[in-house]
Amino acid sequence: MSYSTILIIDDEQSYLDIITNTLKNKHHKVLQALNGKMGCKVAERFLPDIIIMDWEMPEMNGIDAIKFLKNQENTKEIPIIMATGVMTAVEHLETALNAGAIDYIRKPIDPLELYARINSTLKLSRSYKEIKSQKENLEDLNREKDGMVGVVAHDLRAPLNRVMGLAQIIKMTKDLDKELLDTLALIEKMCDSGISLIRDLLVINNVEYESGQMDWKEIILNDFITLLLKNYEVQAKNKKIKIHFNHSQEQLIIKTDETFLGRIIDNLLSNALKFSPPHLNIYLTISRIENKAAISIRDEGYGISPEDQQKMFKKFQKLTAQPTGGEDSTGLGLAIVKSLVEKLEGNIRVVSELKKGAEFIVELPMRA
Ligand code: ADP
């Protein structure tokens, strides 16, 4: 084991000496303090790797000393073993652990037992420090990556929008032949999928749609969805799929962010279309369940296996079901849906059996 600094706080000099001798023989550096107050000062000054703390001491007892040290930024991570010969009942052990001690040893101390305890605590503490520093490194790297994705995606969006705009200007020219018109339509389609991929990457990296930018307002869910469904008429017709919108006469008024809600329904509806073979149905149903509005989107497509259901809300998951009409698939849609639903303070669940379709149910608080 490598060399460590151990602070022993005890008002009995004889104990201090016994322990010091045991540990010194094992090549540890030992510091001593005769009461809690002095012990705290030594700990703050020398930042030992571990502290062995007596309970009953003049000036400041062991429990108060532990509480003090656990409250200081520079000493709060130092592991402390409580060593006592008086306060040995179970409730005392609990008090010591609650105050912040990591372990407890009864006096009279057996030097070998103490040595073993110190070793295992030091090992634990070193692993903890290592994991903490690795976590900090990973968080830094992740922040850097998010920043980079944000910048790249932002800068890519502008030229794509520009190409799209130029294609639209050319399309306005009179007497273009069919071949050129087809090429322009292809350019527009490719720009469009590039722009939506960028938008997904920005959302998934939290660059866009931060909670602070949310715009909560009251909407009539029935009207909102009726309008949104118009965007899917052509796509559904091309795939010979019929979308049924079921709602009662009651107007469901919810307070929400329209952009977030639009993206949630867009993603779920496009998936239902994307993963359904032609000539089937999609049912979009809204209802009130107690004080929540439930939006259900059910298809009759391939369905989702229990194994796929475990993974489907994670990023970049392209699972068993494949698009049935050559549509794009990035594996980001459901991760975005989940994060947006959470931002709207709702929840999402799926009910599905293989080959029997899938139903996604989003529940949102009514708030109104
Ligand atoms: P993408 O649609 O871009 O592939 P998603 O995150 O939306 O990404 O979906 C992840 C995966 O979950 C899909 O690739 C598909 O395999 C499966 N999936 C999603 N929705 C459905 C659905 N309605 N029916 C069957 N499988 C689905």
Side-chain angles (χ1 to χ4, degrees), residues 92-353:
H92 297 137
L93 168 69
E94 209 175 318
T95 311
L97 297 181
N98 286 345
I102 192 170
D103 202 352
Y104 186 95
I105 189 163
R106 287 188 174 93
K107 285 180 177 175
I109 294 172
D110 174 63
L112 200 65
E113 186 187 349
L114 178 67
Y115 178 64
R117 292 278 187 95
I118 288 176
N119 270 356
S120 55
T121 305
L122 283 172
K123 266 190 201 151
L124 207 70
S125 152
R126 277 196 203 104
S127 314
Y128 170 76
K129 279 186 199 151
E130 218 168 279
I131 291 170
K132 199 169 158 225
S133 114
Q134 282 172 355
K135 183 172 168 264
E136 281 163 8
N137 284 346
L138 282 176
E139 280 168 357
D140 282 349
L141 284 173
N142 202 30
R143 252 191 305 279
E144 254 175 53
K145 182 222 47 173
D146 281 356
M148 220 157 68
V149 171
V151 171
V152 172
H154 259 297
D155 289 359
L156 275 178
R157 191 153 54 172
L160 277 178
N161 275 325
R162 186 118 178 78
V163 173
M164 176 103 116
L166 290 172
Q168 281 161 354
I169 291 172
I170 300 172
K171 254 169 73 181
M172 285 190 264
T173 318
K174 275 187 193 151
D175 304 326
L176 291 179
D177 62 36
K178 183 170 175 316
E179 203 178 331
L180 187 56
L181 278 171
D182 287 350
T183 310
L184 289 170
L186 194 63
I187 292 176
E188 274 186 284
K189 190 167 173 265
M190 290 173 100
C191 288
D192 206 36
S193 65
I195 290 165
S196 57
L197 174 61
I198 288 170
R199 192 184 51 182
D200 285 352
L201 285 172
L202 290 173
V203 174
I204 218 73
N205 281 286
N206 267 328
V207 179
E208 268 182 9
Y209 297 152
E210 284 289 341
S211 311
Q213 300 165 346
M214 287 175 71
D215 182 15
W216 294 91
K217 55 177 170 218
E218 273 184 17
I219 61 161
I220 302 172
L221 195 54
N222 316 46
D223 297 350
F224 181 79
I225 291 180
T226 306
L227 206 65
L228 192 140
L229 283 177
K230 293 209 180 303
N231 300 334
Y232 289 89
E233 279 169 4
V234 177
Q235 207 180 329
K237 204 169 153 213
N238 286 344
K239 235 177 153 179
K240 301 188 175 55
I241 286 176
K242 199 159 166 29
I243 303 179
H244 307 262
F245 180 27
N246 303 321
H247 57 99
S248 65
Q249 287 307 312
E250 181 199 11
Q251 287 194 331
L252 285 181
I253 300 171
I254 61 169
K255 197 164 183 190
T256 193
D257 180 294
E258 280 184 307
T259 318
F260 283 31
L261 183 59
R263 293 223 58 206
I264 292 167
I265 301 176
D266 272 337
N267 269 301
L268 294 176
L269 208 51
S270 345
N271 276 355
L273 279 164
K274 198 186 326 186
F275 299 108
S276 290
H279 302 289
L280 294 176
N281 297 288
I282 291 173
Y283 300 90
L284 201 163
T285 309
I286 55 171
S287 56
R288 175 202 279 263
I289 301 177
E290 292 170 3
N291 55 351
K292 287 183 180 156
I295 305 165
S296 143
I297 296 174
R298 180 165 68 84
D299 63 58
E300 299 175 327
Y302 291 132
I304 309 169
S305 67
E307 299 79 58
D308 280 1
Q309 287 182 32
Q310 301 288 320
K311 303 184 216 155
M312 66 188 181
F313 288 113
K314 295 186 183 143
K315 297 172 195 174
F316 301 107
Q317 296 292 327
K318 294 187 196 178
L319 302 170
T320 316
Q322 306 279 316
T324 55
E327 296 96 334
D328 286 339
S329 166
T330 58
L332 278 175
L334 289 178
I336 289 174
V337 166
K338 185 151 194 296
S339 109
L340 294 179
V341 168
E342 278 163 8
K343 285 187 172 137
L344 292 182
E345 293 163 20
N347 59 69
I348 179 163
R349 63 199 154 89
V350 65
V351 182
S352 178
E353 240 182 274

